[in-house]
């Protein structure tokens, strides 16, 4: 279970926070709120009931706290009690934090109120307690030594964390020192430092805190075992010499996905006038969205309908219930039905077990064989004997430089997988790292021609060819690669060469950019989203200095490779496209006596004749004529086909017509043909029952050309799928 948290933010909103200092275009309050909103929205994004926070306004125009009757607690307002914060609460809080007109308000008293709020909420329960004070330190403090001592004692006794961030506070470590500092502010900084030091807190400058917001925050995940059981070498039930170790398996690396967007619609008048208190926006794997009444959104539910072909039903289709469906396995062009009662015949009965099959040397394993994320296998917790036994196996594998091959069934009746187990020995822990490796059926073997030689049909080997790199090209490429080396381009703290892109500093730009944009939009619904943080785009391009120093090698490489710019490729063919003409300007077809104007398509040479007729077409009518002729040939071929013997040729001709009409931006011609063909097939006008051909037609993805495939089409994607 996640740790319980209670955090109180104290935000100074006094009149002096409206000033602009040190060349900033923002007021000090806006600068401080950059930090505050980032932290609050990060807590909201966690969507954890155990993560609670409260907000106190310091130096407010009014007073709103339980101790407000006393003079020292005036101009302090509790803007948000400690609780879970949702998006509607966030919007209300945003409207409450405004610059005041007063300069009065004691920060020490605000800390006392924060302590009282945390004590009231947490009582004696186990919580992570934290107080964050953000101020410019310009207001006088009531720093009575006895009161400060009591505050320090309470913070230490309840194990609270105190963080004080000051606008333009001096910080020698970060390199910030305010010139001509007001004596009152200098005195307050010393008071804050003494208070934080006495209770183990932290005092820092707000500039450093805001700058560190760009550093992505990594999400701590709770380890969940994917397997708990025995690691066997041999059969312990049959042999006394067999080995069996109690182990647990946890993920070592796993892809972190960015937050998913949910679907929603504007709330209708009926729901606005209703009494519903919550709504949920749910899509597969998406998060929930609460208190939709406070917004103008309502949830979206997905529904699925099942239809089958039925000539007697209106529209030729009939709706069926999910319970009426039966599972079938595609076997050729038919489906083999297996009932639910017999479905277990397709399952392999297995028992949960991790069993070592054998061993291979390190040198015999190819890296490309890894198929999955990595996991780590450790000894069973609190089982010292299992830990020692597994350690012996790990060290034995390391000493003989070998991997273990194991068969894993994580749960009963789950399909088995083959794992590669590699020894991992670190200073503070040991384990077996595992990755899934393929079965024979998982391997795809392809044969490609060699890159360093050309082999002719007769078997002759040619080392020098126009398709092979020359010695000068190989040298130029090698020099360029060496010059662009990143492994030693970085610099460590002492200025020595180091890795330029360490793994610990290479963050996912997509994941954190989406998170940044969502958190910003939650608080600022109309303002533009700021650009991504520099650390997210740092490795998007090569370093400028590296490009400059390798410029000469790149020019040498371009010269050796004889590279030239390729003109941009034309995306589509237009109806009145210009044909390529020879440089002489002569009509080659006319000189050769060829008939450029093809008016009839023959069934023996249908596809070339169809394309030649389209190439010479000067109007839509001529294109329609060509498509009509090819359509007649297709229908005649189907009608005369013995079984499915003519299906491949017919599907090829239909595919050519679809491709050409799409490129000619005349999708309607093909769509009319496809609709007519379906009607004739279903009415058995093309040589009897040809529904198996329609199955092949759909399987080959030769349906209607929709708007996504061609902008000239008037068929929607949904209509194309349902036709």
């Amino acid at each position: 279970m996640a740790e319980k948290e209670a955090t109180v933010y104290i935000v100074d909103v006094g009149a002096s926070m409206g000033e602009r200092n040190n060349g900033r275009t923002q007021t000090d309050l806006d600068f401080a709120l950059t930090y505050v909103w980032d932290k609050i929205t990060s807590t909201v994004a966690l969507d954890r009931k155990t993560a609670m926070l409260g907000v106190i306004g310091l130096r407010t125009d009014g007073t709103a706290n339980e101790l407000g009757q006393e003079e020292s607690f005036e101009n302090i307002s509790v803007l948000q009690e400690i609780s879970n914060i949702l998006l509607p609460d966030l919007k209300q809080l945003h409207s409450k934090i405004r610059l005041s007109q007063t300069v009065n308000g004691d920060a020490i008293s605000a800390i006392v109120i924060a302590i009282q709020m945390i004590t009231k909420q947490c009582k004696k329960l186990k919580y992570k307690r934290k107080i964050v004070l953000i101020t410019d330190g310009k207001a006088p403090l009531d720093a009575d030594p006895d009161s400060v001592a009591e505050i320090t004692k309470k913070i230490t006794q309840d194990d609270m964390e105190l963080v004080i961030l000051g606008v333009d506070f001096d910080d020698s470590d970060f390199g910030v020192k305010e010139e001509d500092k007001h004596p009152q502010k200098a005195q307050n900084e010393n008071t804050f430092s003494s208070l934080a030091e006495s209770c183990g807190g932290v005092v820092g400058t707000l500039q450093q805190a805001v700058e560190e917001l760009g550093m992505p925050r990594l999400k701590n995940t709770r380890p969940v075992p994917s397997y708990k059981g025995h690691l066997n070498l041999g059969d312990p039930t049959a042999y006394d010499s067999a080995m069996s170790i109690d182990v647990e398996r946890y993920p070592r690396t796993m892809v972190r996905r960015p937050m998913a967007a949910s679907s929603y619609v504007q709330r209708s008048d009926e729901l606005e006038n209703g009494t519903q208190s919550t709504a949920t926006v749910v899509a597969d794997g998406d998060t929930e969205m609460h208190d939709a009444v406070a917004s103008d959104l309502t949830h979206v539910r997905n529904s699925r309908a099942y239809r089958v072909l039925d000539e007697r039903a209106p529209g030729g289709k009939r709706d069926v219930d999910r319970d009426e469906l039966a599972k079938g396995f595609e076997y050729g062009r038919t489906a083999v039905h297996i009932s639910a009662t017999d479905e277990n015949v397709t399952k392999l009965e297995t028992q949960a077990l991790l069993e070592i099959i054998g061993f291979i040397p390190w040198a015999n394993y190819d890296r490309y064989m890894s198929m999955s994320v990595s996991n780590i296998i450790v000894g069973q917790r609190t089982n010292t004997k299992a830990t020692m036994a597994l350690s012996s196996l790990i060290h034995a594998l390391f000493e003989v430089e070998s991997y273990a091959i194991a068969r894993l069934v994580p749960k009963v009746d789950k399909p088995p997988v083959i794992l590669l187990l590699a020894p991992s020995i670190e200073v503070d822990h040991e384990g077996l790292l595992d990755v899934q490796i393929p079965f024979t059926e998982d391997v795809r073997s392809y044969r490609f021609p060699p890159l360093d030689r050309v082999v002719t049909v007769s078997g002759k080997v040619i080392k020098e060819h126009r398709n092979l790199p020359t010695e000068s090209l190989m040298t130029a490429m090698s020099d360029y690669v060496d010059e662009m080396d990143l492994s030693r381009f970085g610099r460590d703290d002492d200025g020595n060469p180091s890795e330029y892109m360490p793994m610990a500093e290479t963050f996912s730009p997509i994941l954190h950019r989406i998170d940044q944009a969502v958190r910003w939009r939650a608080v600022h619904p109309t303002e533009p989203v700021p650009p991504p943080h520099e650390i997210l785009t740092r490795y998007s391009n090569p370093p400028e200095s590296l490009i400059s120093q390798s410029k000469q090698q790149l020019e040498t490489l371009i010269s050796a490779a004889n590279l030239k710019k390729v003109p941009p490729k034309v995306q589509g063919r237009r109806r009145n496209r210009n044909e390529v003409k020879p440089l002489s300007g002569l009509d080659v077809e006319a000189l050769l006596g060829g008939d450029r104007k093809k008016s009839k398509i023959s069934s023996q040479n249908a596809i070339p004749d169809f394309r030649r007729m389209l190439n010479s077409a000067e109007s839509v009518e001529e294109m329609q004529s060509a498509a009509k002729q090819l359509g007649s040939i297709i229908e005649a071929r189907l009608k005369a086909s013995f079984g499915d013997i003519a299906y491949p040729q017919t599907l090829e001709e239909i595919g050519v017509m679809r491709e050409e009409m799409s490129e000619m931006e005349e999708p309607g011609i093909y769509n009319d043909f496809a609709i007519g063909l379906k009607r004739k097939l279903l009415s058995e006008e093309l040589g009897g029952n040809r529904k198996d051909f329609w199955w092949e037609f759909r399987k080959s993805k030769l349906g209607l050309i929709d708007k996504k495939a061609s902008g000239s089409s008037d068929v929607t994607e949904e209509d194309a799928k349902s036709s």
Side-chain angles (χ1 to χ4, degrees):
M1 184 177 177
E3 188 176 15
K4 295 181 180 180
E5 301 177 9
T7 305
V8 176
Y9 293 92
I10 305 172
V11 184
D12 190 345
V13 296
S16 60
M17 291 290 285
E19 301 173 0
R20 291 176 171 84
N21 297 303
N22 288 340
R24 291 188 294 268
T25 58
Q26 295 174 295
T27 64
D28 290 348
L29 179 59
D30 290 337
F31 185 55
L33 289 179
T34 302
Y35 173 84
V36 174
W37 290 130
D38 186 274
K39 292 298 183 180
I40 292 178
T41 52
S42 297
T43 303
V44 174
L46 293 176
D47 194 24
R48 276 173 38 202
K49 293 183 179 180
T50 57
M52 296 182 289
L53 60 87
V55 180
I56 297 175
L58 171 63
R59 294 200 290 168
T60 57
D61 289 326
T63 301
N65 64 80
E66 293 183 357
L67 304 176
Q69 301 86 354
E70 302 181 27
E71 183 179 354
S72 60
F73 292 95
E74 292 180 352
N75 300 109
I76 301 174
S77 300
V78 177
L79 305 179
Q80 173 68 48
E81 293 286 352
I82 298 178
S83 63
N84 292 111
I85 302 294
L86 302 177
L87 185 58
D89 304 318
L90 196 63
K91 292 180 178 179
Q92 292 179 8
L93 184 60
H94 185 264
S95 64
K96 292 178 181 179
I97 301 180
R98 290 289 181 267
L99 190 68
S100 71
Q101 304 300 319
T102 185
V103 295
N104 299 319
D106 179 30
I108 302 295
S109 299
I111 294 176
V112 172
I113 295 174
I115 294 174
Q116 183 189 38
M117 292 172 61
I118 292 177
T119 304
K120 180 180 178 181
Q121 173 65 38
C122 303
K123 300 180 175 63
K124 297 295 183 179
L125 301 176
K126 185 177 180 181
Y127 270 83
K128 183 178 180 181
R129 302 166 172 86
K130 186 175 182 180
I131 299 173
V132 182
L133 169 63
I134 302 99
T135 180
D136 61 1
K138 294 182 179 180
L141 298 178
D142 183 9
D144 178 65
D146 294 336
S147 300
V148 172
E150 288 295 324
I151 293 171
T152 301
K153 180 181 178 181
K154 182 64 175 177
I155 291 176
T156 305
Q157 181 180 346
D158 289 359
D159 194 20
M160 298 183 190
E161 180 184 0
L162 177 63
V163 178
I164 302 175
L165 299 175
V167 180
D168 298 326
F169 275 23
D170 293 342
D171 190 331
S172 57
D173 295 336
F174 189 66
V176 175
K177 183 173 179 60
E178 186 179 16
E179 302 295 336
D180 301 325
K181 189 186 294 291
H182 192 279
Q184 179 68 60
K185 183 175 181 179
Q187 180 182 348
N188 290 344
E189 286 188 32
N190 293 331
T191 303
F192 285 136
S193 297
S194 300
L195 174 61
E197 184 178 355
S198 61
C199 62
V202 177
V203 175
T205 181
L206 185 62
Q207 284 88 325
Q208 181 180 4
V210 171
E211 186 173 308
E212 290 178 352
L213 294 179
M215 179 65 67
R217 290 175 286 275
L218 301 183
K219 182 179 180 182
N220 294 324
T221 56
R222 183 169 59 92
V224 177
S226 57
Y227 172 76
K228 282 186 175 182
H230 298 289
L231 169 62
N232 290 350
L233 177 58
D235 186 358
T237 61
Y239 304 99
D240 295 336
S241 59
M243 179 186 72
S244 181
I245 306 173
D246 293 318
V247 296
E248 298 176 359
R249 181 174 182 252
Y250 296 92
R252 185 62 181 267
T253 61
M254 185 172 292
V255 177
R256 182 182 169 188
R257 308 290 181 187
M259 65 175 70
S262 301
S263 300
Y264 63 88
V265 294
Q266 295 293 327
R267 180 175 292 276
S268 64
D269 293 338
E270 290 183 4
L271 286 177
E272 289 177 0
N273 297 328
T275 59
Q276 185 178 0
S277 60
T278 60
T280 306
V281 180
V282 179
D284 292 342
D286 291 349
T287 58
E288 294 186 354
M289 185 172 176
H290 305 277
D291 287 346
V293 156
S295 67
D296 58 349
L297 308 179
T298 186
H299 61 282
V300 175
R301 297 288 183 184
N302 296 327
S303 63
R304 179 175 295 178
Y306 299 91
R307 297 177 179 176
V308 295
L309 297 177
D310 189 346
E311 298 177 0
R312 297 169 294 179
K317 295 179 181 178
R318 175 171 56 86
D319 291 342
V320 295
D321 294 333
R322 179 181 175 86
D323 297 337
E324 298 180 44
L325 302 179
K327 288 187 177 181
F329 293 84
E330 185 179 347
Y331 189 71
R333 291 196 305 276
T334 59
V336 177
H337 167 62
I338 296 181
S339 63
T341 56
D342 296 333
E343 196 172 318
N344 59 351
V345 301
T346 63
K347 294 182 179 179
L348 179 66
E349 295 182 1
T350 56
Q351 297 296 323
L353 184 64
L354 177 60
E355 186 176 18
I356 295 177
I357 301 173
F359 306 91
I360 61 170
W362 292 352
N364 291 5
Y365 180 73
D366 296 319
R367 296 283 296 274
Y368 65 83
M369 302 294 281
S370 300
M371 293 179 58
S372 68
V373 299
S374 59
N375 297 272
I376 185 168
I377 297 172
V378 296
Q380 187 183 51
R381 293 185 181 184
T382 69
N383 189 336
T384 307
K385 183 179 179 181
T387 302
M388 293 296 295
L390 185 64
S391 177
S392 301
L393 175 61
I394 293 169
H395 282 269
L397 289 172
F398 183 80
E399 290 174 7
V400 298
E401 299 184 351
S402 295
Y403 298 130
I405 305 297
R407 176 183 182 269
L408 171 66
V409 179
K411 294 181 180 179
V412 176
D413 289 339
K414 289 289 185 180
V417 295
I418 303 297
L419 302 179
L420 179 86
L421 308 183
S424 174
I425 302 175
E426 303 292 340
V427 176
D428 54 346
H429 71 275
E430 298 175 346
L432 288 173
L433 298 178
D434 77 70
V435 291
Q436 185 179 344
I437 56 178
F439 290 101
T440 300
E441 296 81 2
D442 300 325
V443 178
R444 303 291 187 267
S445 298
Y446 304 100
R447 293 181 63 87
F448 298 100
L451 299 176
D452 59 343
R453 62 191 183 278
V454 174
V455 181
T456 64
V457 178
S458 61
K460 182 180 179 182
V461 178
I462 301 175
K463 293 289 187 178
E464 294 184 3
H465 190 270
R466 60 184 177 85
N467 293 335
L468 297 177
T470 61
E471 191 66 30
S472 60
L473 178 58
M474 294 289 288
T475 302
M477 179 59 77
S478 177
D479 294 342
Y480 180 65
V481 171
D482 292 341
E483 201 65 32
M484 290 289 289
D485 183 18
L486 292 174
S487 61
R488 305 290 292 171
F489 185 74
R491 291 290 183 270
D492 58 17
D493 296 337
D494 299 328
N496 300 319
S498 64
E499 184 181 2
Y500 175 69
M501 292 177 60
M503 185 65 68
E505 298 178 9
T506 308
F507 301 97
S508 169
I510 296 296
L511 191 150
H512 296 289
R513 175 57 176 169
I514 293 177
D515 181 61
Q516 176 195 8
V518 171
R519 286 189 285 110
W520 177 271
R521 184 61 78 221
V523 181
H524 309 88
T526 58
E527 297 180 22
V529 179
H533 298 298
E534 182 272 337
I535 195 170
L536 299 181
T537 59
R538 180 181 301 170
Y539 304 122
S540 298
N541 297 294
E544 291 293 336
S545 55
L546 190 63
I547 294 176
S548 300
Q549 77 179 32
S550 60
K551 185 176 181 181
Q552 181 179 353
Q553 286 76 13
L554 178 60
E555 292 175 351
T556 303
L557 176 61
I558 293 174
S559 176
N562 193 24
L563 296 179
K564 294 182 177 60
K565 276 193 175 182
V566 178
K569 184 179 179 181
V570 180
Q571 294 297 324
R573 296 188 297 174
R574 297 291 176 179
R575 195 178 303 137
N576 299 322
R577 58 186 183 273
N578 297 323
E579 296 185 10
V580 178
K581 296 182 179 180
L583 296 176
S584 62
L586 299 176
D587 190 339
V588 178
E589 290 284 349
L591 291 174
L592 296 176
D595 182 11
R596 301 187 67 213
K597 195 73 173 178
K598 190 74 178 178
S599 60
K600 189 175 181 181
I601 301 175
S602 66
S603 60
Q604 291 78 17
N605 199 31
I607 292 177
D609 286 352
F610 175 68
R611 282 178 167 154
R612 275 196 291 269
M613 193 169 179
L614 289 181
N615 289 337
S616 62
E618 298 178 354
S619 64
V620 178
E621 289 74 17
E622 293 182 2
M623 295 182 193
Q624 291 174 339
S625 175
K628 186 176 181 180
Q629 290 187 51
L630 183 59
S632 299
I633 292 173
I634 291 171
E635 292 176 359
R637 205 184 302 282
L638 277 174
K639 196 170 185 178
S641 174
F642 181 74
D644 60 356
I645 193 169
Y647 288 2
Q649 183 178 1
T650 305
L651 292 171
E652 182 184 5
E653 292 169 347
I654 295 174
V656 170
M657 183 193 295
R658 189 181 192 277
E659 177 186 357
E660 293 291 334
M661 291 300 102
S662 179
E663 291 186 355
M664 288 288 190
E665 298 184 357
E666 290 294 341
I669 298 177
Y670 174 80
N671 291 343
D672 292 342
F673 160 76
I675 293 172
L677 179 64
K678 178 183 178 181
R679 177 178 52 78
K680 293 179 181 179
L681 286 171
L682 297 181
S683 60
E684 300 185 358
E685 297 179 20
L686 301 178
N689 187 354
R690 296 288 183 185
K691 291 183 180 179
D692 56 342
F693 175 78
W694 184 248
W695 168 259
E696 294 292 339
F697 180 92
R698 296 298 299 272
K699 188 178 177 181
S700 302
K701 299 181 180 180
L702 297 175
L704 301 182
I705 303 173
D706 55 24
K707 292 180 179 179
K708 185 177 180 180
S710 174
S712 303
S713 177
D714 56 358
V715 178
T716 64
E717 191 173 355
E718 292 75 15
D719 292 340
K721 289 180 179 178
S722 61
S723 63

